[in-house]
Amino acid sequence: GLTAEITYSYNYSNRNSEKMVYTPDEAKKYTIIDPKYSNNVHNRNNNQRIGINIQKRTNNLRMMAGVTFHPQVTENKTEIGGIVARDTIRRVFNWSPNARFEWRPNRQKQFRLSYNGNSSQPSLSQLMPVPNNSNPQRVTLGNMALDPYFTHRVDMRIRLANPEKFSSVVINGNFDYNTRNIVNAVWYDDAGVQYT
């Protein structure tokens, strides 16, 4: 028969990350906030997942295809010394297709092929452009302009069994392909400090 499935989920997260770096004052006490390396980051994320799958079944065949949509709103607010330095809102519409084909002519033979696509957001640390100098020789900073990246995955499974001989052969394989990958850019200054 033919069946359809509709799914919905909602996720809300509210994260805060505070990093304060101080420089010495005239009395050589660390009381002055260094605005270059200090920040207070507020991240709010509204994430919905709406999916539909259609499945067809016969005696020895199963086929399924579907898609999931991910509308997402992310707000990143960066404060430096109590003053809002950046306030950005990103609206992204991600989607994830999927399909599955399974053929089982009898209990001893099985062939399965599946595809999943997944769109993912960059992490908070990958987006924040404020330098992190907790290791002065390796300074890291993010990029607010990063786009979501997409992963394609194909899985295959073949199973052949011989119950009379108590033997079986299983072959598994998978293939992953990524588009719009997020990669690190690395460079050095004249003092040998690494920036990522």
Side-chain angles (χ1 to χ4, degrees):
L2 189 67
T3 59
E5 175 187 53
I6 297 173
T7 60
Y8 176 79
S9 66
Y10 175 79
N11 183 43
Y12 173 80
S13 65
N14 189 358
R15 299 177 293 180
N16 291 322
S17 173
E18 185 175 296
K19 179 188 171 196
M20 304 304 288
V21 176
Y22 296 90
T23 58
D25 58 17
E26 294 176 359
K28 303 218 180 204
K29 294 185 178 179
Y30 287 84
T31 58
I32 302 172
I33 295 175
D34 187 341
K36 183 177 180 183
Y37 296 105
S38 299
N39 63 14
N40 189 2
V41 178
H42 306 280
N43 171 262
R44 282 190 295 222
N45 195 336
N46 289 282
N47 190 2
Q48 299 178 72
R49 293 174 65 95
I50 306 147
I52 183 165
N53 292 316
I54 298 174
Q55 185 169 313
K56 169 83 173 166
R57 283 183 157 189
T58 64
N59 288 338
N60 57 9
L61 190 65
R62 293 180 186 176
M63 294 180 290
M64 188 269 297
V67 65
T68 302
F69 300 102
H70 310 263
Q72 184 173 8
V73 179
T74 303
E75 181 181 3
N76 292 317
K77 184 185 291 184
T78 303
E79 294 180 2
I80 298 173
I83 299 170
V84 175
R86 293 179 192 88
D87 191 0
T88 59
I89 296 177
R90 291 173 57 95
R91 289 177 172 82
V92 180
F93 191 83
N94 297 327
W95 61 286
S96 303
N98 62 82
R100 184 171 175 169
F101 174 83
E102 185 172 344
W103 178 56
R104 189 177 291 192
N106 54 48
R107 297 180 68 181
Q108 289 79 38
K109 296 177 183 177
Q110 177 192 25
F111 173 76
R112 185 172 66 209
L113 184 67
S114 63
Y115 166 80
N116 286 293
N118 188 38
S119 182
S120 303
Q121 285 288 102
S123 68
L124 184 60
S125 62
Q126 290 170 325
L127 291 169
M128 287 298 103
V130 178
N132 179 350
N133 70 335
S134 52
N135 180 346
Q137 292 300 310
R138 295 184 179 203
V139 178
T140 61
L141 61 154
N143 178 359
M144 299 275 305
L146 292 176
D147 288 327
Y149 55 97
F150 200 91
T151 303
H152 303 270
R153 183 177 179 90
V154 177
D155 291 295
M156 182 198 68
R157 176 182 170 92
I158 299 172
R159 182 177 174 273
L160 304 170
N162 188 335
E164 296 170 358
K165 295 184 178 179
F166 298 101
S167 65
S168 66
V169 174
V170 178
I171 300 170
N172 289 316
N174 60 59
F175 173 76
D176 290 338
Y177 177 72
N178 296 323
T179 58
R180 294 193 309 269
N181 262 357
I182 295 174
V183 296
N184 290 333
V186 179
W187 68 94
Y188 297 86
D189 67 10
D190 293 337
V193 176
Q194 175 182 301
Y195 292 85
T196 304

